[in-house]
Amino acid sequence: MAGYILKRLVSAIPVLLGITVIVFAIMALIPGDPATAILGSFATPENVEKLNRDLGLDKPLVAQYFIWLGNMLQGDFGQSFALNRPVIDEVLERFGATLILAGTAFLLCSLFGVMAGVVSAARQYGFADKAITFVVLLGISIPSFFLGMMMILTFAVSLRWFPVSGMWPIYGARDLGALISHLTMPALALAVVATGVIARLSRSAMLEVLRQDFIRTARAKGVPERRVIWRHALRAAMVSIIPVLGIQAGFVLSGAVYVEIVFQWPGVGRMLVDAILKRDILLVQGGVVFVAACYVMFNIAVDVAQSLLDPRIKT
């Protein structure tokens, strides 16, 4: 297992390097002068020239890339000029909020998606299967940002069950209850689409397993149907379900950008949008690379979990 993990870590290096190249190239292709955008009304020719030297923008693009990459490999993601603080400090602070939102949404979509898929497969063509399929297709068809706005209008503005936006109340205690009340709507809005995808693919995986001989043998031996479904069939189907969970984790993490904007959640997604508008290049590059690295590491963890269920994968 240690050799397999090391192999996956080594294979992640070219992926991360490719991400850095793509992020750097995209930021370099954005029209306009970053120094002028940063300085605003103070963008005199002398100030622009000085800031370009400070940012290293007066050097060739290849040299800029390798300087930036070398600094990152040493743990220096640079300084945010818009916020006047180290990029890594801002990213880590915002990533905590994103992790709470995306982690909660991922737990919800994994739990409800797998449960819905199992029940749908166990009751194939029955009322439960048709009802779940209808709800799943409806959920997949609704974008998270639109659902979030409808939830704000219904549950925050009209019914006043939940706060409209933010992570904490402006006044009052910042305790677990306050966090849950602010987290409920954005987490549900973010989880809906992923729940539908997981449910559909979990249903397919379960149907395939339920047709196999060892399930027929278990039923022939008189094993209770509940045990056959939830213990034997689901365990075998998890080999196919776990990669789906890994893909949806990336979807949830990327979809958090839209939800954070709608609900004014102080996470990495909202930070990146603000940084792009302000042309804060180092903050955008550092934030994207950090999130991409976390996603790659999570996929490695998913592969390891899958290999524990099915040792044949390591070969």
Side-chain angles (χ1 to χ4, degrees):
M1 179 57 67
Y4 176 71
I5 296 175
L6 180 61
K7 179 181 177 181
R8 293 291 291 113
L9 289 173
V10 171
S11 66
I13 294 176
V15 176
L16 293 175
L17 287 176
I19 291 171
T20 61
V21 172
I22 293 172
V23 172
F24 183 85
I26 290 176
M27 293 304 299
L29 290 174
I30 294 179
D33 183 14
T36 303
I38 293 172
L39 291 170
S41 59
F42 299 96
T44 62
E46 295 79 9
N47 289 338
V48 169
E49 183 180 357
K50 182 178 182 301
L51 185 56
N52 279 327
R53 287 198 305 269
D54 294 340
L55 293 174
L57 298 178
D58 57 337
K59 297 180 175 63
L61 285 178
V62 176
Q64 292 179 36
Y65 169 75
F66 282 107
I67 292 173
W68 171 64
L69 180 62
N71 290 335
M72 275 204 309
L73 293 177
Q74 299 176 42
D76 180 12
F77 282 66
Q79 186 86 1
S80 169
F81 280 82
L83 303 175
N84 194 27
R85 65 178 306 193
V87 168
I88 190 62
D89 292 347
E90 180 70 14
V91 170
L92 289 176
E93 181 179 319
R94 295 297 194 104
F95 187 71
T98 296
L99 193 60
I100 292 174
L101 173 60
T104 303
F106 179 69
L107 289 176
L108 291 174
C109 70
S110 299
L111 178 62
F112 291 118
V114 172
M115 288 182 61
V118 171
V119 173
S120 183
R123 302 288 186 269
Q124 188 181 15
Y125 304 130
F127 175 77
D129 183 22
K130 294 178 181 178
I132 290 173
T133 300
F134 174 77
V135 174
V136 163
L137 292 177
L138 185 64
I140 294 175
S141 304
I142 302 177
S144 297
F145 65 89
F146 177 77
L147 179 62
M149 290 187 289
M150 294 299 102
M151 292 175 71
I152 289 175
L153 289 175
T154 304
F155 299 110
V157 177
S158 299
L159 299 176
R160 298 187 179 181
W161 289 355
F162 300 101
V164 176
S165 62
M167 183 176 176
W168 301 106
I170 299 176
Y171 302 105
R174 294 191 172 190
D175 52 13
L176 182 60
L179 176 61
I180 292 175
S181 65
H182 283 78
L183 179 62
T184 301
M185 287 200 300
L188 288 175
L190 185 56
V192 166
V193 175
T195 300
V197 175
I198 292 172
R200 292 299 296 169
L201 296 176
S202 297
R203 179 182 183 273
S204 301
M206 282 293 296
L207 288 175
E208 183 178 352
V209 170
L210 289 173
R211 298 189 186 102
Q212 295 183 11
D213 293 337
F214 77 95
I215 297 295
R216 298 191 189 97
T217 302
R219 286 170 172 164
K221 289 182 176 180
V223 178
E225 185 66 15
R226 183 183 298 271
R227 187 176 179 183
V228 170
I229 296 296
W230 293 98
R231 183 172 180 178
H232 298 288
L234 179 57
R235 182 176 180 179
M238 285 303 295
V239 177
S240 301
I241 294 174
I242 285 180
V244 178
L245 298 180
I247 294 173
Q248 292 309 304
F251 172 81
V252 168
L253 193 59
S254 61
V257 175
Y258 310 108
V259 175
E260 286 178 1
I261 295 299
V262 172
F263 289 94
Q264 293 298 295
W265 190 266
V268 174
R270 184 179 169 192
M271 178 201 76
L272 289 175
V273 172
D274 293 339
I276 291 172
L277 294 176
K278 296 175 182 178
R279 295 299 302 276
D280 198 341
I281 297 176
L282 293 178
L283 185 58
V284 175
Q285 293 175 169
V288 173
V289 170
F290 182 84
V291 172
C294 292
Y295 179 52
V296 170
M297 293 300 107
F298 183 82
N299 272 275
I300 292 176
V302 168
D303 292 341
V304 171
Q306 189 182 17
S307 67
L308 291 175
L309 289 175
D310 188 359
R312 295 173 299 177
I313 294 175
K314 290 184 289 187
T315 60

